[in-house]
């Protein structure tokens, strides 16, 4: 079992406002005391026991952390540090301050074709990088694509949320039912073997939305 820093995260970071939340996680803005740099702290609730339906299992948290540790790309979030206490694991992530692509799109009547392709190119660059490392994201959707700065004419995007991401091992058949209904590939719903191609279905749905 991997252990993370057992020290109190509050000793090293000032924790600020909530940025968003997921199923068993809350993400808050934070500032590293030693450097003044801002980050996003993702507080993931740990599952207490095997039979419990609440919280995230150790195995799933470690998978998310291990995948995050491996990635370094301009269009993908990076991991800075990991802490844990009895109830939670805290991921200190690069802060993406411009909000979700989901909200950006919701505020607009429509995008121009040029704007749509500019987003899509970056999404594909990020996905190509992940796939080159045999990492399938498995939850690509506008809520998990964030803008660095929404006020500039050509916002840069970052893929976030590696909670469902898996390394695709060609020797093993990987099957699972998960994801978000509107974006999920047919092979997920049909409980068939999954691979990197499942992400491309989601990219197709995102392209349609854009
Ligand atoms: P997640 O459970 O990782 O999808 O995070 C839940 C929500 O928190 C996301 O939908 C975002 O709105 C927000 N969020 C997650 N990571 C970051 C980040 N690195 N910077 C800013 N906001 C984030």
């Amino acid at each position: 079992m991997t252990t993370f820093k057992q020290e109190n995260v509050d000793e090293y970071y000032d924790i600020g406002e909530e940025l968003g939340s997921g199923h068993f996680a809350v993400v808050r803005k934070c500032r590293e005391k030693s450097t003044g740099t801002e980050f996003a702290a993702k507080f993931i609730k740990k599952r207490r026991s095997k039979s419990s339906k609440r919280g995230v299992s150790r195995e799933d948290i470690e998978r998310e952390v291990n995948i995050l540790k491996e990635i370094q790309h301009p269009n993908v979030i990076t991991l800075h540090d990991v802490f844990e206490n009895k109830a939670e694991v805290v991921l200190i992530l690069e802060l993406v301050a411009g909000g979700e692509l989901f909200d950006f799109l919701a505020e607009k009547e429509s995008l121009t074709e040029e704007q749509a392709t500019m987003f899509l190119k970056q999404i594909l660059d990020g996905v190509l990088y992940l796939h080159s490392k045999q990492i399938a994201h498995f939850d690509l959707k506008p809520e998990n694509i964030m803008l660095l700065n929404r006020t500039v004419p050509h916002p840069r995007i970052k893929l976030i949320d590696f909670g469902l991401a898996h390394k695709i091992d060609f020797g093993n058949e990987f099957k699972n039912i998960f994801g978000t209904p509107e974006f999920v590939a047919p092979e997920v719903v049909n409980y068939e073997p999954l691979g990197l191609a499942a992400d491309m279905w989601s990219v197709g749905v995102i392209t349609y939305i854009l």
Side-chain angles (χ1 to χ4, degrees), residues 8 14 21 27 64 78 104 120 129 135 146 153 159 161 185 191:
N8 191 344
D14 291 316
S21 60
V27 180
E64 180 170 357
T78 54
F104 183 82
L120 191 59
Y129 171 77
I135 296 166
M146 298 208 61
L159 306 179
D161 193 358
Y191 204 61

Side-chain angles (χ1 to χ4, degrees), residues 18-29 39-44 64 77-78 91-100 103 139 141-147 158-163:
E18 185 174 321
L19 294 168
S21 60
H23 228 49
F24 295 113
V26 179
V27 180
R28 294 182 174 280
K29 205 179 206 177
F39 291 95
K42 178 172 176 177
F43 295 81
I44 306 172
E64 180 170 357
I77 193 85
T78 54
L91 311 187
I92 306 293
L93 297 159
E94 171 186 10
L95 175 67
V96 198
E100 297 173 10
D103 297 317
D139 203 15
K141 54 182 174 178
E143 291 93 324
N144 286 338
I145 299 168
M146 298 208 61
L147 277 59
K158 297 244 176 199
L159 306 179
I160 66 157
D161 193 358
F162 286 76

Side-chain angles (χ1 to χ4, degrees), residues 140 142 182-184 199-210:
L140 292 171
E182 302 95 293
F183 299 92
V184 93
D199 282 342
M200 299 318 292
W201 178 281
S202 309
V203 171
V205 182
I206 294 167
T207 307
Y208 173 76
I209 292 171
L210 288 173

